[in-house]
Amino acid sequence: METLEALSERLHTTEEIQSIVRTMKALSSVNIRQYEHAVTAIADYERTITLGLQVVLRNRRNKAEPLDLTGPDRKSGHRRALIVVGSDRGLCGRFNDRIAEFACQGLETEAKTADERPPFICVVGVRAAARLEAMDRPVDRLFTLPGSVDGLIDSVQAIVVELDRWVREEGVGPVALVYNRRSEQALAETTHKDLLPISQDYLDRLATTPWPSKRLPMYRMDEGELFSWLIRQHLTLVLYAALAESLASEHASRLAAMQNAERNINERRENLLAEYRKKRQETITNELLEVVAGSEAIRKKR
């Protein structure tokens, strides 16, 4: 049987854990809103980049020129690459397990040739990287996640720079992106997006979309350079949204885990309180019995 002091210490520890869980719940709730707002905040800039691409592509279409402005150095790569977005922190359920399993399934189902080099794997988040390593999928490049919304753009720009290096120096061709995002059906829904090459259907659709005014804007910059810059900005926006959505999903998963933990802690605390009260009553009863027994013994001696 535990002593009253031991039960009191366990109650104190449980209350401290309960306080930590409440703090983590509050932080997750705030961060979810911040990262979701970050996604909506880039909508206007995304529309500007899309309009810029539309101008270049419509102009080339009017001149009966091909829409593909990709340079020859970007056409020679055949090595596949995959960017996996996970988390740096735990206590978020199977968040990283799901995305690691999803990434491995995608790598296994894609067609391979005998002379194809192993896929180039880049991971954002040390926890997801550990899961992939455990699944015998070595990570070629690892990035850590920013601690706040303010650090998102720096992280995305670092990934874009690395992506450009892969294409030019590592012979990377197709590049895909996998991450978790919140949806109506799940807190962490695995999502797949193809980053490179840019879909020809997407380019054709932009080239044929009606322009909102009577005349197309003019530009003096070299068409190829302008197109490359716009595509770079397009990739930046896609990665920015993916990281923000993944972080919102991570915090939503952590919030759900903390809510479950809080329920379990509350149940445990109630059980400990009941046990503590029972033990305290037993202690008081035993002390009273000892006092009565001592009093009876003294009375009999007299």
Side-chain angles (χ1 to χ4, degrees):
M1 291 291 291
E2 286 188 286
T3 64
L4 199 61
E5 291 77 11
L7 285 170
S8 178
E9 183 64 27
R10 289 177 63 188
L11 263 173
H12 179 68
T13 302
T14 302
E15 289 169 355
E16 286 184 338
I17 295 173
Q18 189 177 44
S19 176
I20 294 171
V21 168
R22 286 173 178 168
T23 302
M24 294 184 68
K25 278 180 58 182
L27 289 173
S28 292
S29 298
V30 172
N31 283 320
I32 290 170
R33 288 191 291 272
Q34 286 183 347
Y35 288 116
E36 287 182 337
H37 177 70
V39 176
T40 59
I42 63 173
D44 289 339
Y45 186 62
E46 183 178 12
R47 181 174 182 273
T48 301
I49 296 301
T50 302
L51 289 174
L53 285 169
Q54 190 177 348
V55 170
V56 175
L57 294 170
R58 282 180 63 88
N59 187 56
R60 291 186 67 83
R61 180 171 175 269
N62 293 338
K63 293 187 296 185
E65 295 178 349
L67 300 182
D68 188 3
L69 295 177
T70 305
D73 59 328
R74 292 181 178 272
K75 291 182 178 180
S76 58
H78 298 289
R79 187 181 182 187
R80 293 175 298 141
L82 181 66
I83 301 175
V84 182
V85 183
S87 78
D88 284 335
R89 300 171 182 84
L91 300 177
C92 49
R94 297 193 70 252
F95 182 87
N96 291 290
D97 296 292
R98 288 194 188 97
I99 198 62
E101 292 166 3
F102 183 71
C104 287
Q105 289 172 3
L107 291 170
E108 291 170 359
T109 55
E110 289 182 7
K112 298 179 182 178
T113 59
D115 58 344
E116 184 179 358
R117 296 170 64 189
F120 195 90
I121 300 177
C122 169
V123 180
V124 186
V126 295
R127 298 269 178 167
R131 300 294 192 281
L132 286 169
E133 294 281 358
M135 297 175 181
D136 295 327
R137 290 289 183 178
V139 175
D140 298 282
R141 188 70 167 86
L142 174 63
F143 290 93
T144 57
L145 284 158
S148 66
V149 173
D150 295 336
L152 272 176
I153 189 63
D154 291 335
S155 297
V156 170
Q157 287 175 346
I159 297 171
V160 171
V161 170
E162 189 70 9
L163 179 59
D164 186 67
R165 188 185 70 80
W166 301 340
V167 174
R168 296 182 182 277
E169 300 178 10
E170 302 290 343
V172 167
V175 180
L177 169 70
V178 294
Y179 62 99
N180 287 315
R181 62 186 297 272
R182 291 183 73 194
S183 68
E184 295 180 358
Q185 293 76 28
L187 295 174
E189 180 181 307
T190 50
T191 305
H192 173 278
K193 285 186 179 180
D194 292 319
L195 291 181
L196 292 174
I198 302 298
S199 168
Q200 190 62 44
D201 291 338
Y202 173 71
L203 299 179
D204 292 339
R205 188 167 62 254
L206 285 180
T208 55
T209 300
W211 186 252
S213 62
K214 293 182 178 180
R215 298 191 63 179
L216 286 173
M218 297 177 62
Y219 51 87
R220 295 182 179 179
M221 187 176 178
D222 177 77
E223 217 166 47
E225 292 180 6
L226 177 58
F227 182 79
S228 296
W229 183 85
L230 289 168
I231 289 297
R232 186 185 181 91
Q233 295 304 306
H234 169 75
L235 294 176
T236 299
L237 288 169
V238 172
L239 286 167
Y240 185 94
L243 259 64
E245 289 180 345
S246 178
L247 284 162
S249 175
E250 175 194 339
H251 284 289
S253 300
R254 184 172 292 111
L255 177 60
M258 291 302 100
Q259 288 172 338
N260 291 332
E262 188 175 41
R263 284 194 294 269
N264 293 334
I265 290 171
N266 287 336
E267 291 176 4
R268 180 61 176 164
R269 183 174 179 274
E270 290 300 321
N271 292 334
L272 284 173
L273 276 173
E275 191 175 349
Y276 177 83
R277 293 189 186 107
K278 181 181 178 181
K279 186 66 177 177
R280 184 168 179 271
Q281 187 61 49
E282 289 177 355
T283 302
I284 293 172
T285 302
N286 289 335
E287 288 176 352
L288 288 174
L289 289 175
E290 288 176 0
V291 171
V292 172
S295 177
E296 286 293 327
I298 293 172
R299 188 176 60 80
K300 288 180 180 179
K301 286 181 180 180
R302 291 179 180 176

